[in-house]
Amino acid sequence: MPQGHSRLGAGGRSTPSPPSSPRFRHGRNKSSGGGRGSKKSLVEKLVLAVVSAVFRRRGVLLFAPVLYITGMVLYMGSFGFDVGVRMNAGGPAPPGSVYRSPQVFEKLWPLMENESNSSFNALTMAWSQTLHQSWQPCGSMTICQTGSKELPESNGFLIIEANGGLNQQRLSICDAVAVAGLLNATLVIPIFHLNSVWQDSSNFSDIFDEDFFIDSLKNNVKIVRELPEDMLQQFDYNISSIVNLRVKGWSTRNHYLEKVLPRMKELGAVRIAPFSNRLANAVPSPVQCLRCLANFEALRFAEPIRVLAERMVQRMTRRSSEGGGRYVSVHLRFEKDMVAFSCCKYDGGEEEKREMDIAREKGWRGKFRRKGRVIKPGANRMDGKCPLTPLEVGMMLRGMGFDNTTSVYVAAGKIYKEEKFMAPLKLMFPYLQTKNTLATPEELAPFKGFSSRLAALDYSVCLQSEVFVTTQGGNFPHFLIGHRRYLFGGHAKTIRPDKRKLALLFDNPKIRWENFKRQMQAMLHRSDVKGSELRKPGGSLYTFPMPDCMCKQNKMKHKH
């Protein structure tokens, strides 16, 4: 193969560019034709027709402003008002728009207590054993082999900057491996950007096992710790002197081959910073396989993290003796910045509002005060966008059948008003642990002040749990769900709550315990069914590793 070409081949027909981000894909589709958009269009046409007719006739121009204002009133009146407006108007709040979970807990708590220490615990029967196909990692990732024992001569050096928190950095690293393989480039160990939110100054080797990473990928991608002396000299020993190519988000294979590769061959080295989400989800199989190999096989945490994490898992298992060594892990996103960013309202009154306003201004400097920006806490709650409180997580789990003997590990940063909000969760689950209770202060001391290293400890303990509960989305659960599928025969063993339904249930202080339990157990069953989902076109293999990273086994598991 001539130097300068991709050794991974065409991989079939070229893949068209996806939208700028998968987050906007559904929203764009909804805007085309029918529904609310059609109603808006008809009203606009009607108003414009009336105004145009008036302007064509002399002598009635004075009435044009009146007609215009009348049309705008009709136009605005054709839409439902915001939840907040209706609540302020004095009418009843729409179901699910108000945080009433404490009142629901007050009613249900005595009934939960009556079922404590029951003979049935959902921990032992959370996942059904019905007939299903089993998936396993594809051995030594043979589908990644390029057919040659030695890598061809490199087309140049690729330098990327991984930004964000632990798992956003992980995303950048794995995508960089895939791009390096695609371009037949030599990848320089990624540089970690000091994020203004995470404030973690860790380097790659502080978080990941650098030697293991390089060795695991040596047959697929050449990786070096730093640029060689001659290249450094060429750029005056200043990495920032290397051309930074501004690559758009979710760029296709063809973009890299047509735009990035020629510049790399011309200059000898190129830089892409920032690099997060710079490679499309839909790429040819050989490129996907490099992502699989990097994420599931080559990336492991640095030894200090692994050693402490293994101790924490062992301690968690020993303290879960009543559950046969099994435990539930919960990724609890209820830190002050998350609550502020969600624009949701809880039960803290004016003090909470003042604190959230300050936090939003500190973290996002005017973003939430822009002209036309309306904060809609009621609508956010109804739409399932509010972070679950520890109280709500506890009620959900107790309703699903996890009793008070269940060991629970909570992965989280500093919980907002921790003493207040964590108290009911600890009441429902006395065997609750965190990294601060599983590890000694001396063991945690080297990790303090390094949020990504602390997140790596949480990730490791959650990875080995029998049940994982995600409460608010983000890169942490997305990567963890996929990693658990990879480890557990293709099933995520993850509870993904229906937060829209929960908003309605937690807004009903009159709900009966039997009805609440039935709804929660149905939610657990849906999570079980969706645990083995395959990747859909355009989906991320980091969350859905089948079929790209895993092979189907013929052996069937039968119900006992």
Side-chain angles (χ1 to χ4, degrees), residues 4 13-14 39 68 84 90 119 155 166 203 225 234 277 296 330 341 394-395 431 450 484 494 531 537 549:
R13 191 172 297 175
S14 62
K39 187 174 182 181
Y68 178 78
S119 57
N155 288 323
L166 172 68
N203 296 317
R225 289 177 174 79
Q234 181 180 330
N277 298 316
F296 298 112
V330 179
F341 185 79
M395 283 196 290
Y431 297 101
F450 299 101
R484 287 167 63 81
T494 296
C549 310

Side-chain angles (χ1 to χ4, degrees), residues 167-420:
N167 289 288
Q168 192 169 337
Q169 290 171 336
R170 190 183 192 106
L171 171 67
S172 297
I173 294 164
C174 297
D175 281 359
V177 169
V179 169
L182 173 65
L183 301 181
N184 187 30
T186 299
L187 176 66
V188 180
I189 285 290
I191 300 166
F192 283 5
H193 171 69
L194 180 60
N195 187 275
S196 59
V197 175
W198 291 86
Q199 288 293 321
D200 189 326
S201 59
S202 299
N203 296 317
F204 186 100
S205 59
D206 295 321
I207 299 174
F208 298 105
D209 188 329
E210 196 171 277
D211 291 334
F212 185 81
F213 179 72
I214 295 171
D215 187 64
S216 298
L217 293 164
K218 65 183 178 182
N219 293 326
N220 296 276
V221 177
K222 186 176 181 182
I223 303 174
V224 295
R225 289 177 174 79
E226 56 186 20
L227 285 174
E229 179 69 21
D230 60 331
M231 290 299 295
L232 285 171
Q233 189 174 8
Q234 181 180 330
F235 293 103
D236 297 324
Y237 296 90
N238 186 356
I239 295 293
S240 61
S241 298
I242 299 174
V243 170
N244 184 18
L245 301 181
R246 293 292 179 178
V247 176
K248 291 182 179 179
W250 314 103
S251 290
T252 63
R253 164 193 177 275
N254 285 352
H255 176 84
Y256 280 98
L257 292 176
E258 294 167 7
K259 302 294 183 182
V260 176
L261 183 57
R263 294 289 279 161
M264 176 183 290
K265 292 173 64 181
E266 174 192 348
L267 302 170
V270 294
R271 189 164 56 97
I272 304 177
F275 189 72
S276 181
N277 298 316
R278 290 302 185 269
L279 180 63
N281 283 329
V283 292
S285 294
V287 182
Q288 293 285 43
C289 191
L290 289 176
R291 278 172 156 164
C292 298
L293 184 57
N295 185 52
F296 298 112
E297 300 290 339
L299 271 185
R300 74 177 187 185
F301 293 125
E303 186 176 7
I305 295 173
R306 290 201 318 275
V307 169
L308 180 53
E310 286 169 7
R311 286 183 200 157
M312 292 169 66
V313 170
Q314 289 170 1
R315 291 166 188 171
M316 193 70 208
T317 302
R318 284 200 302 270
R319 297 178 191 186
S320 307
S321 57
E322 296 216 30
R326 289 171 286 197
Y327 59 92
V328 174
S329 63
V330 179
H331 184 225
L332 192 57
R333 297 303 309 276
F334 205 70
E335 302 90 352
K336 180 184 280 190
D337 61 338
M338 176 54 66
V339 176
F341 185 79
S342 71
C343 295
C344 294
K345 187 187 295 184
Y346 294 92
D347 58 352
E350 286 300 315
E351 179 186 358
E352 179 188 304
K353 181 181 183 304
R354 185 171 58 255
E355 289 179 342
M356 293 300 103
D357 286 342
I358 293 171
R360 280 191 283 267
E361 190 59 28
K362 180 181 178 182
W364 296 277
R365 287 173 288 188
K367 175 178 179 178
F368 294 92
R369 294 188 293 104
R370 290 175 187 164
K371 187 177 180 181
R373 181 72 182 257
V374 179
I375 293 179
K376 308 173 183 179
N380 289 347
R381 179 167 297 281
M382 293 168 65
D383 201 29
K385 294 179 180 178
C386 292
L388 293 179
T389 63
L391 168 68
E392 291 170 328
V393 172
M395 283 196 290
M396 177 185 74
L397 289 174
R398 288 297 293 263
M400 288 177 174
F402 298 95
D403 68 16
N404 66 341
T405 66
T406 304
S407 292
V408 175
Y409 179 83
V410 173
K414 182 172 175 53
I415 299 297
Y416 173 59
K417 292 190 178 299
E418 182 172 353
E419 187 174 343
K420 169 189 172 181

Side-chain angles (χ1 to χ4, degrees), residues 119-167:
S119 57
F120 169 78
N121 186 345
L123 189 60
T124 61
M125 301 180 66
W127 317 118
S128 65
Q129 298 297 316
T130 53
L131 189 69
H132 69 278
Q133 294 268 198
S134 178
W135 292 77
Q136 297 296 331
C138 298
S140 59
M141 303 299 290
T142 53
I143 56 173
C144 282
Q145 300 304 316
T146 58
S148 60
K149 293 183 179 179
E150 292 185 6
L151 296 176
E153 185 178 349
S154 174
N155 288 323
F157 292 90
L158 175 65
I159 301 164
I160 69 105
E161 189 174 285
N163 53 312
L166 172 68
N167 289 288

Side-chain angles (χ1 to χ4, degrees), residues 480-497:
L480 195 61
I481 288 168
H483 204 157
R484 287 167 63 81
R485 283 191 170 109
Y486 190 78
L487 292 181
F488 301 136
H491 193 282
K493 294 191 173 185
T494 296
I495 295 173
R496 303 180 75 171

